[in-house]
Every structure is written in structure tokens, then in C-alpha cells.
Amino acid sequence: MADVEECVFCKVARGKIPAYILHKDEHVLAFHDINPQAPVHVLIVPIKHITDLEAIGAEDADIVARMFGVARKVAQELRFEANGYRLVINNGRPAGQIVPHLHLHVLSGRSFGWPPG
Ligand code: 5GP
Ligand code: ZN
């Protein structure tokens, strides 16, 4: 379980790295990104150490669904849903994934270009 011991988001989930936490339950954690790329930049992560989309097992379907539910809840609570928001998963290093623990970026508070950079 060396991956879990070293994992930044597992450390946040265990309180070993401080974060501005917006939501925590048995399965899902939401906290502000340390290096925000928009006025609102929240990360939604499973408590379970799942490295990326390929590592999601059939038994994790409920966790993944809950991640989207928490994104919606955070949007409601922070009142940015009316402005629109973008959900991003950088899956794999070439796509920009730095932290190998599945996470949903929730971005809002500015306009977003398409195609994304
Ligand atoms: P990725 O590039 O893997 O999709 O996104 C990783 C995100 O995690 C980045 O936006 C980065 O700023 C954020 N991040 C990395 N380490 C920490 C940390 O210790 N605390 C918080 N709150 N965010 C982090
Ligand atoms: Zn982890």
C-alpha cells in the first residue's frame, strides 16, 4: 500500500495535509484546490484510493456517482450553479494528471474556452 501512504489526496482525506474541506462523507471528499485555475476551483475525490478512470471497478460505481452528486451539492452551496461550471478529469499524465488519485475538478467564476487547452 505504498501508493496510498505517499498519495497527496489520501493524506488530505486522513487529515495529514490540511485543506479547506467543503464536504466529507464515508465515500467522497471535496476541498478547494491549492492552486486555483478559476475563482472557484474545487476538487472532488473518492476516499478510496483509485488512481484513475481505468482503475475504477464495478464495485466503485456508486462512489463515482456520488462524486457527481457532491459536485452538484457544492455548486448549490457555493451558489455558482447559475453561472455555469465545468467539470474536468485529467486522466493520465499526457492529459495533465499530476496526482494519481482520481479527482474531479469543479471550476467556475469565469468563462471557459473550447476546445480546452
Ligand atoms: P491534476 O493535474 O492531477 O488533474 O490535478 C491535481 C490538482 O491537485 C492540481 O490542480 C493541484 O493544484 C492540486 N493539488 C496538488 N496538491 C494539493 C494539495 O496538497 N492540496 C490541495 N488542496 N490541492 C492540491
Ligand atoms: Zn490516494
Side-chain angles (χ1 to χ4, degrees), residues 7 9-10 49 101:
C7 175
F9 292 167
C10 284
H49 181 80
H101 180 131

Side-chain angles (χ1 to χ4, degrees), residues 3-4 25 30 37 44 46 51 59-61 67 70 73-75 77 94 99-100 103 117:
D3 286 356
V4 175
D25 63 39
Q37 302 301 311
I44 314 283
T51 54
E59 70 279 12
D60 301 322
M67 289 171 66
V70 171
K73 174 174 170 275
V74 167
E77 289 178 357
V99 177
H103 51 284

Side-chain angles (χ1 to χ4, degrees), residues 33 42 58 90:
D33 195 293
V42 175
N90 298 321

Side-chain angles (χ1 to χ4, degrees), residues 8-9 17 31-35 41 43 90 96-99 103 105:
V8 173
F9 292 167
I17 293 178
F31 53 98
H32 286 288
D33 195 293
I34 203 168
N35 183 25
H41 188 170
L43 299 172
N90 298 321
Q97 184 178 7
I98 303 298
V99 177
H103 51 284
H105 295 260

Side-chain angles (χ1 to χ4, degrees), residues 5-110:
E5 294 301 322
E6 298 305 315
C7 175
V8 173
F9 292 167
C10 284
K11 286 182 180 175
V12 172
R14 292 172 184 179
K16 292 182 177 173
I17 293 178
Y20 186 158
I21 291 173
L22 298 166
H23 172 96
K24 186 173 185 188
D25 63 39
E26 190 186 345
H27 297 293
V28 181
L29 178 68
F31 53 98
H32 286 288
D33 195 293
I34 203 168
N35 183 25
Q37 302 301 311
V40 177
H41 188 170
V42 175
L43 299 172
I44 314 283
V45 312
I47 302 288
K48 179 179 176 182
H49 181 80
I50 301 172
T51 54
D52 56 21
L53 288 167
E54 279 68 38
I56 296 172
E59 70 279 12
D60 301 322
D62 181 55
I63 292 174
V64 174
R66 284 169 183 256
M67 289 171 66
F68 284 88
V70 171
R72 166 121 173 73
K73 174 174 170 275
V74 167
Q76 285 178 322
E77 289 178 357
L78 296 186
R79 300 182 185 281
F80 60 79
E81 59 182 339
N83 298 326
Y85 52 102
R86 181 170 286 186
L87 304 185
V88 174
I89 293 177
N90 298 321
N91 196 64
R93 276 206 166 263
Q97 184 178 7
I98 303 298
V99 177
H101 180 131
L102 181 67
H103 51 284
L104 200 51
H105 295 260
V106 183
L107 301 143
S108 189
R110 65 171 171 84

